[in-house]
Amino acid sequence: MYKLVKLPYSYSALEPYIGENTMFVHYNKHYIGYLNKLNELVYSQLPIKSLIINIDDYSTDVRNNAGGYFNHSLFWNMLRPNTTMSKNLPPYSLQIIIDRDFGSYENFKEKIKETAKKRFGSGWVWWILYPNGKTAIVETPYQDNPLMYIDCEILLGIDVWEHAYYLNYEADRESYVNNIFNIINWSYPNKILLRK
Ligand code: MN3
């Protein structure tokens, strides 16, 4: 049985950027839905990451629900509350990597916004780390993620399904993505890069 990852903050903690209703529905309806469906479909002792890496061996139903479960389990921890309305800039250790691979933090943000715009319909935008140490921004459809396609590590993921923002932003994905930089938990990618 795959298990629920607890939301590491309250449903209202990401306000004003993501509202309490959105978080409640996102967690309880969508996330728990993927998990329950996945547990109905497969009885596996395999760590979820191994299942994801070998996803081509499974049905589309397993792919969608395993992806939904895995992606959201990461996503909750990639965000953090920002009650001080600070700019939430990445720490120096990440700034160096961002400057190296994207030129500047502004360019990095632009690249993410542009990639989110390019994703037609539901999906995710990712900041990934290649085995050679370079990082890049990519996107995947539905509940897919880069581990299903290539050898890499996920540094950050942004859910650009309408269910992630519609109650707050209606169809304005751009404003949602623009605002999400205020609540990115930079410790998440930082920990992965420090291990290298
Ligand atoms: Mn979602």
Side-chain angles (χ1 to χ4, degrees):
M1 290 269 283
Y2 293 106
K3 298 211 175 70
L4 207 58
V5 168
K6 237 187 128 223
L7 197 65
Y9 34 74
S10 73
Y11 297 120
S12 62
L14 302 182
E15 288 189 351
Y17 310 106
I18 297 177
E20 183 174 5
N21 277 352
T22 298
M23 281 311 288
F24 186 87
V25 173
H26 203 173
Y27 188 85
N28 289 290
K29 187 165 173 281
H30 297 279
Y31 176 54
I32 294 181
Y34 299 127
L35 173 61
N36 290 342
K37 194 79 213 272
L38 175 64
N39 280 327
E40 273 170 36
L41 289 166
V42 288
Y43 184 77
S44 175
Q45 308 285 359
L46 209 59
I48 186 65
K49 196 174 175 183
S50 309
L51 192 148
I52 292 288
I53 289 170
N54 295 298
I55 204 70
D56 289 340
D57 298 343
Y58 297 86
S59 68
T60 306
D61 248 11
V62 171
R63 185 185 192 103
N64 290 337
N65 289 287
Y69 167 60
F70 180 78
N71 295 348
H72 290 86
S73 296
L74 304 184
F75 185 57
W76 311 134
N77 283 290
M78 290 167 168
L79 301 176
R80 68 174 173 203
N82 178 357
T83 48
T84 60
M85 312 286 265
S86 76
K87 280 189 165 164
N88 194 38
L89 295 172
Y92 184 67
S93 49
L94 289 183
Q95 188 66 58
I96 293 170
I97 289 159
I98 288 170
D99 287 351
R100 184 198 65 195
D101 293 346
F102 304 94
S104 68
Y105 180 55
E106 279 315 304
N107 287 353
F108 172 77
K109 281 167 65 174
E110 272 315 307
K111 180 77 189 166
I112 289 177
K113 286 195 265 183
E114 195 184 287
T115 308
K117 206 171 176 177
K118 234 171 43 195
R119 165 97 295 279
F120 184 78
S122 298
W124 291 72
V125 176
W126 306 94
W127 185 26
I128 58 165
L129 172 67
Y130 291 112
N132 69 6
K134 287 280 259 179
T135 75
I137 305 297
V138 298
E139 47 105 358
T140 55
Y142 312 113
Q143 293 296 354
D144 281 7
N145 67 55
L147 305 184
M148 294 177 176
Y149 298 88
I150 53 167
D151 180 18
C152 67
E153 282 198 68
I154 292 171
L155 297 173
L156 280 178
I158 300 172
D159 187 346
V160 296
W161 281 57
E162 279 192 346
H163 69 225
Y165 59 86
Y166 202 84
L167 296 177
N168 294 105
Y169 299 91
E170 295 188 350
D172 188 1
R173 182 186 287 179
E174 199 175 343
S175 295
Y176 156 72
V177 174
N178 222 3
N179 273 340
I180 212 160
F181 293 102
N182 293 301
I183 48 172
I184 294 286
N185 178 15
W186 296 111
S187 319
Y188 190 96
N190 209 24
K191 254 186 244 157
I192 295 168
L193 288 160
L194 284 177
R195 285 206 315 255
K196 297 289 146 189

